[in-house]
Amino acid sequence: MSLQSAREFLSTHGWLSLTPLSFQNAVFARCIIVTFKRGAYIYRLSDPAGGLYGLSSGHVAVEGLPPEGDPLVGDLLPPGAWCGEAAFVTQQVRRVGIRAASDCEALLLPAADLRNIMKTEDEAWRFLGLLAVLNTDRAMLVALNLLVR
């Protein structure tokens, strides 16, 4: 997938499609395309804070660390998903790991570029908050699906 194709897909699928065109353009102007082979980590649990990733093709596994043992997959994110906002906002280490469950392509918005957008785009923090809410909603749905009924 080309950078332009990834932009077109992500402008109509997922979080960024819910934001104004001016914000989308600010994000896309700063993104680069990155690829990951199946099994490769996009980032690991406890990695330093960084930028955002918008998945344009493939699927990624979200891994968490239970109190004892090895990381476990808690969810699979489809194309259109974005991740990385929690560590950016808190400036703490990554709370989950993201690993390619298939060959993947994503747009990367580096943290420095995201900081510049936050300084120059009206309501950018609200749009980043929207991403956090969408990802929290998804995590809650995963947790609810695990409950014994």
Side-chain angles (χ1 to χ4, degrees), residues 1-11 28 33 56 106-107:
M1 181 177 285
S2 69
L3 179 60
Q4 185 58 35
S5 296
R7 288 175 178 171
E8 288 172 8
F9 178 81
L10 289 169
S11 71
F28 288 141
I33 196 160
S56 55
L107 292 186

Side-chain angles (χ1 to χ4, degrees), residues 53-136:
Y53 291 85
L55 189 62
S56 55
S57 70
H59 289 78
V60 297
V62 180
E63 295 182 342
L65 189 62
E68 297 176 13
D70 295 324
L72 298 173
V73 173
D75 197 8
L76 287 176
L77 300 181
W82 286 79
C83 54
E85 77 287 349
F88 176 83
V89 170
T90 64
Q91 288 302 290
Q92 296 175 349
V93 297
R94 303 281 189 176
R95 288 171 156 70
V96 297
I98 303 293
R99 184 175 42 84
S102 65
D103 290 350
C104 298
E105 288 186 338
L107 292 186
L108 166 60
L109 176 60
D113 291 316
L114 182 52
R115 278 192 291 279
N116 287 333
I117 290 172
M118 294 298 128
K119 293 176 187 173
T120 60
E121 290 293 316
D122 291 338
E123 298 190 274
W125 279 106
R126 187 168 69 84
F127 304 135
L128 193 61
L130 172 61
L131 176 57
V133 168
L134 292 171
N135 284 339
T136 299

Side-chain angles (χ1 to χ4, degrees), residues 11-89:
S11 71
T12 59
H13 295 82
W15 162 66
L16 210 53
S17 71
L18 303 174
T19 65
L21 187 58
S22 61
F23 181 74
Q24 290 180 30
N25 289 336
V27 169
F28 288 141
R30 294 164 174 88
C31 282
I32 58 172
I33 196 160
V34 291
T35 60
F36 301 93
K37 292 288 185 191
R38 182 175 187 256
Y41 276 90
I42 296 166
Y43 54 81
R44 292 178 187 269
L45 184 72
S46 298
D47 274 356
L52 302 182
Y53 291 85
L55 189 62
S56 55
S57 70
H59 289 78
V60 297
V62 180
E63 295 182 342
L65 189 62
E68 297 176 13
D70 295 324
L72 298 173
V73 173
D75 197 8
L76 287 176
L77 300 181
W82 286 79
C83 54
E85 77 287 349
F88 176 83
V89 170

